[in-house]
Structure formats: C-alpha cells, structure tokens
Amino acid sequence: MGDLTATAGDVDSRLEGHRVELTGYCYRMLGSAFEAEDAVQDTLVRAWRNFDKFEGRSSLRSWLYRIATNVCLDMLNAGNKRARPVDLSGPTPLAQAALNPLPENTWLEPTPDGRVLPSVADPAEAAVARESVRLAFVAALQHLAPKQRAVLILREVLAWKASEVAELLDTSVASVNSALQRARATIGEHQDTAADAADPLDEEQAKLLERYVAAFEGYDMKALTALLHEDAIMTMPPFDLWLQGHDDIAGFMTSIGASCAGSRLIATAANGTPAFAHYKPNPDGPGFVPWALQVIDISDGAITGMHCFLDTPRWFPLFGLPDHLEADAA
C-alpha cells in the first residue's frame, strides 16, 4: 500500500505542476476565470483517471493540453462568447447614462496574474504570456471559432510547432497553418491598440498610478482628468454602459457615481496589468466595503482604460482581497 500511495502522490504532484499554465490556456480559450478553473479541474480529474493509459507516447504536458483542449471545445460548443461592453455597443453619452445589467455569462472576466501566469526565466516569454492575458487580447480571441482559437494560442502564445498542434487536434499541418492565417487576420481586425507593458512598472508608470490613487481617493476630478487620455474609456460590467472621454468619465463620477467619493484603492494585479481593489465608504457603519475591481490600461504616459468589475462577491475572494477595510487601516 505504501508504494501505491507514493505513486498516487507522485501522479498528483506531476499533474498539479501544470495547473497554472493550463489555467492560463483555458482562460484564454474561455474568457472566464471561473470556467477556466472548472476546465482545468476536469482536465486533471480525467488525466488522473486515465493515467494508467498514458504510455509516454507524447510528453505529459502535450497529453494534458490535448485533454484541456477537448474540455474547452466541449464547453465552447454551447456557443457562448464573452465580451466587454465596448464590444457590444458604442459609447454612451453622459446625458443618457443608465445602468442596465446583463447576465454574468455575457462578460469577459478578469483573472489574477498568479493563477494564469507561470513563473518563467525568459523575459521575452514572460512578456508574451502577460500580453496574451490582457483583456483586449482575450476579447479579440472571442471572435475566433473555437479551433482557430486553440491554434492561435498554441502556435503564437505557447510557441508550439505546427506539427505538434496538428497532432493535438488530429488534423493536418496544412489545416493548422490555414487556421492560423485566418485567426491572425481576424485578431488584427478586432484587437485594440496594445497597452504599455507593465512588468515590472517603470518609474513613470509607477508615478502615474500613485497620482491616480491620490486623485481617485481625493475625488479630485481636475487631477484625475489630467491623468486620463482624452479618449480614455470606463466600463462597468455587469452594466452594458461604457463611457469615452475624460470629461464624461469625470462627469459620471460626480453624478451617478458620486457615492464613491472618499473611497480607498488597494493595489493588486489582473490580466498582466495594474489593478486596484476599490472600497467605498460603508453606508451602514465605519470602514469601507468592496465596490469594484479596477483593471487599468496605460499607454503613452496616460491612463487609457478603467475597467471596473462590480460583482465583488465573485472577484474579491478570487483575488484574495478582504471583504472589509477598517477606517484606521485604510
């Protein structure tokens, strides 16, 4: 029994060693942090149950990616593709701003860096990994057919050879190359201008974010406007509303969003970019309560995107964030 237990433990350890990179792969495929976790758990359970049939004809990593791909393709057969508010409509003029929620499965979800970005020694490889979990890139992936999505991620992000992808998908190299060409064209049509790299933050970016925190916490709209690009966008899933332009953003924050005055921001990281846990004053007592997870885009020395995910009962536990801030600790 001791040998069997040791063997089981070894299998567990070998499978668990791939969890983070598989979660990153499934997140890119599905656009949902929670669906990605479910897909990886399903993948590892299937691998555990069938480990005695794994004969080493391919690497363990390749075998796990084959299982994960099949799990994701099955999940995507339901036809749902996730989006950002900017993918569904044009910007809302401030005068017409109204908060209309859409179902949870409409939206592209944020994800903590630590769950999807494995530690790698190569800075170039790390940069590609971070760029490929940006909200804009994952949103663009949603426009691809499921198998094209898998091909693009495996070839362009994970640097698999065409022959390896063809073997995984049980297809030909010519078919893989064709799918990749079509996927690249579609991505080019839908991907936004990339935000600046932020790993680690350079001095200018760090100072910009320090000024952003000071302006937001002080609810100083003049200072905040100075930090936002003139065409900056603000989104607020689960609401379909999105605003464009620093004037409309500041106007929204002092009207519909006025209850956020006096808020506190706690730094975190999501989707390869800076992020903040936004706590606003507790209306029922002392301290501060969760309000939003803010994912921030920076480009050319200005903030170009504030993506505020409001379903904090889902996001804050996922990011390991407290459910309350004491007044003196904030």
Side-chain angles (χ1 to χ4, degrees):
M1 279 299 286
D3 290 340
L4 287 175
T5 303
T7 301
D10 179 56
V11 171
D12 275 339
S13 177
R14 291 178 66 188
L15 295 178
E16 280 295 325
H18 295 276
R19 182 180 287 274
V20 174
E21 65 168 313
L22 289 172
T23 304
Y25 175 63
C26 293
Y27 173 72
R28 297 177 185 100
M29 287 287 289
L30 301 169
S32 163
F34 293 101
E35 287 183 0
E37 300 261 349
D38 289 345
V40 171
Q41 193 59 33
D42 191 0
T43 296
L44 297 181
V45 168
R46 293 188 192 189
W48 169 263
R49 288 176 177 166
N50 293 284
F51 198 81
D52 59 334
K53 300 175 186 175
F54 172 61
E55 299 171 350
R57 288 175 293 186
S58 64
S59 71
L60 176 60
R61 182 170 182 256
S62 297
W63 184 58
L64 289 172
Y65 270 93
R66 176 189 284 269
I67 298 171
T69 300
N70 288 332
V71 170
C72 288
L73 293 177
D74 287 345
M75 294 173 73
L76 289 167
N77 279 339
N80 180 53
K81 66 178 184 180
R82 291 174 178 266
R84 304 166 299 169
V86 298
D87 302 317
L88 301 182
S89 68
T92 306
L94 178 59
Q96 299 171 20
L99 301 179
N100 302 309
L102 294 180
E104 172 274 319
N105 64 1
T106 306
W107 302 117
L108 182 68
E109 297 180 349
T111 189
D113 284 4
R115 290 182 180 252
V116 295
L117 294 174
S119 299
V120 293
D122 183 352
E125 187 179 338
V128 169
R130 296 182 75 86
E131 288 295 327
S132 66
V133 294
R134 296 286 177 95
L135 289 172
F137 183 78
V138 179
L141 288 172
Q142 301 293 299
H143 293 279
L144 301 178
K147 283 196 175 179
Q148 283 185 19
R149 209 177 296 182
V151 167
L152 184 87
I153 297 166
L154 290 166
R155 292 281 285 119
E156 302 266 290
V157 177
L158 301 176
W160 285 39
K161 297 176 183 176
S163 58
E164 294 171 329
V165 178
E167 182 179 354
L168 182 145
L169 294 174
D170 291 322
T171 189
S172 66
V173 169
S175 177
V176 167
N177 289 335
S178 176
L180 179 59
Q181 189 173 13
R182 294 195 304 274
R184 283 172 173 164
T186 302
I187 286 283
E189 292 171 6
H190 292 284
Q191 189 177 3
D192 299 343
T193 303
D196 289 350
D199 179 33
L201 292 170
D202 63 30
E203 186 177 357
E204 181 183 346
Q205 292 169 331
K207 287 182 177 178
L208 175 66
L209 290 172
E210 286 176 10
R211 293 196 297 270
Y212 171 75
V213 170
F216 197 100
E217 292 188 344
Y219 233 59
D220 182 341
M221 291 303 116
K222 183 177 180 181
L224 183 66
T225 298
L227 304 176
L228 298 176
H229 189 279
E230 62 180 358
D231 291 326
I233 64 173
M234 182 178 182
T235 68
M236 290 163 280
F239 301 116
D240 58 2
L241 163 80
W242 66 280
L243 301 163
Q244 184 169 38
H246 49 47
D247 290 339
D248 274 6
I249 292 172
F252 179 89
M253 290 177 64
T254 54
S255 56
I256 296 174
S259 65
C260 290
S263 290
R264 295 292 179 264
L265 300 182
I266 304 297
T268 183
N271 294 81
T273 60
F276 295 98
H278 173 188
Y279 294 82
K280 73 176 187 177
N282 183 1
D284 301 316
F288 301 83
V289 292
W291 181 247
L293 176 76
Q294 297 183 4
V295 182
I296 304 297
D297 290 331
I298 298 173
S299 187
D300 297 328
I303 290 171
T304 55
M306 300 164 59
H307 307 288
C308 306
F309 295 88
L310 303 184
D311 192 358
T312 54
R314 285 165 61 79
W315 305 126
F316 277 39
L318 183 70
F319 280 77
L321 295 164
D323 61 6
H324 183 83
L325 287 184
E326 299 298 335
D328 54 354

